[in-house]
Amino acid sequence: VEVVASIIATCCCNKLTADDNTESRVREYCTFYEQDVPAHFRGEQGQQNLERAVETLSRCSAWRTTAKSLGNGVLEEQLEWAELFEDSIQSFRLRRLEDIFGASAEIRFAPSQCTLQDRCLVSVQGTELPAGVFAHESTQDPAFMQQLRKAAEELLKISGPLDCRPRGLKSAKFGFDYTEDVYMEPTSD
């Protein structure tokens, strides 16, 4: 099987310090990218410094996703820092993807007013990403958007409506209760 492209979510950068099982993945991450780091992060002391840096960057990248939480104390500057911290961690992945595919970029795939987990890494074989992947930022690409709509229609024909609501969760603030294990009729949006 030939892989010609990849899309990787970047939303869980903060989970390097504690994944869903509350285990740190910092050492694993640092070991995986040890050949890609600057020389001052090599050797035993350098590796320890890298792990501390990645742990701090990872933990603080969570400021992005908690900034809109009720009663949060995240400052505007912390939001900017968190995005830069995440960029630093993702830079190793981007370079690795460029080595594998040729063209890679981190893009925003949704407006930040919809979600703060709005970025992903996109890679394709070749030297340039299609302009359409940047359509939400500054360019308009009707052909790409039409292709995307057609692909979504095909997916829906095969799978039926997609229900992306958070099953098992309940929120008084946002007025939903999906704790019941029953089929929910998908909404039109």
Side-chain angles (χ1 to χ4, degrees):
V1 174
E2 180 182 11
V3 178
V4 296
S6 75
I7 301 173
I8 301 173
T10 64
C11 61
C12 299
C13 221
N14 62 304
K15 289 189 176 182
L16 285 173
T17 52
D19 66 11
D20 292 337
N21 297 315
T22 64
E23 292 182 37
S24 175
R25 299 292 179 190
V26 171
R27 177 165 287 152
E28 183 179 340
Y29 173 90
C30 292
T31 301
F32 187 74
Y33 293 105
E34 67 186 352
Q35 298 303 312
D36 303 325
V37 299
H40 62 274
F41 282 126
R42 296 200 180 124
E44 188 176 330
Q45 185 60 48
Q47 181 75 8
Q48 290 173 2
N49 291 341
L50 177 63
E51 288 178 18
R52 279 196 304 275
V54 168
E55 182 176 348
T56 300
L57 295 172
S58 171
R59 190 174 46 252
C60 295
S61 71
W63 292 338
R64 284 188 76 234
T65 53
T66 58
K68 301 245 172 146
S69 299
L70 185 62
N72 81 80
V74 178
L75 303 173
E76 192 64 35
E77 293 84 13
Q78 287 175 290
L79 270 176
E80 293 173 29
W81 298 341
E83 197 160 295
L84 292 171
F85 296 160
E86 187 176 295
D87 289 345
S88 297
I89 291 172
Q90 298 303 344
S91 68
F92 294 113
R93 291 178 172 152
L94 271 174
R95 280 196 295 271
R96 183 69 57 94
L97 289 168
E98 286 171 0
D99 289 346
I100 295 169
F101 290 100
S104 296
E106 183 174 48
I107 65 165
R108 292 190 187 281
F109 62 85
S112 55
Q113 61 267 29
C114 295
T115 177
L116 290 175
Q117 299 192 13
D118 60 349
R119 304 190 303 171
C120 65
L121 306 180
V122 177
S123 304
V124 297
Q125 285 185 347
T127 58
E128 192 174 304
L129 289 166
V133 300
F134 301 102
H136 65 285
E137 291 178 353
S138 61
T139 63
Q140 295 297 320
D141 190 339
F144 175 77
M145 296 308 293
Q146 181 59 33
Q147 184 180 5
L148 187 60
R149 285 187 189 97
K150 184 178 178 196
E153 288 172 11
E154 291 297 317
L155 176 64
L156 290 174
K157 282 181 191 174
I158 295 167
S159 67
L162 301 177
D163 185 356
C164 298
R165 290 174 283 189
R167 291 181 190 250
L169 297 179
K170 181 178 182 177
S171 171
K173 178 181 177 185
F174 295 105
F176 65 80
D177 182 355
Y178 302 133
T179 55
E180 297 295 321
D181 191 24
V182 295
Y183 174 77
M184 296 178 289
E185 192 63 39
T187 62
S188 60
D189 46 325

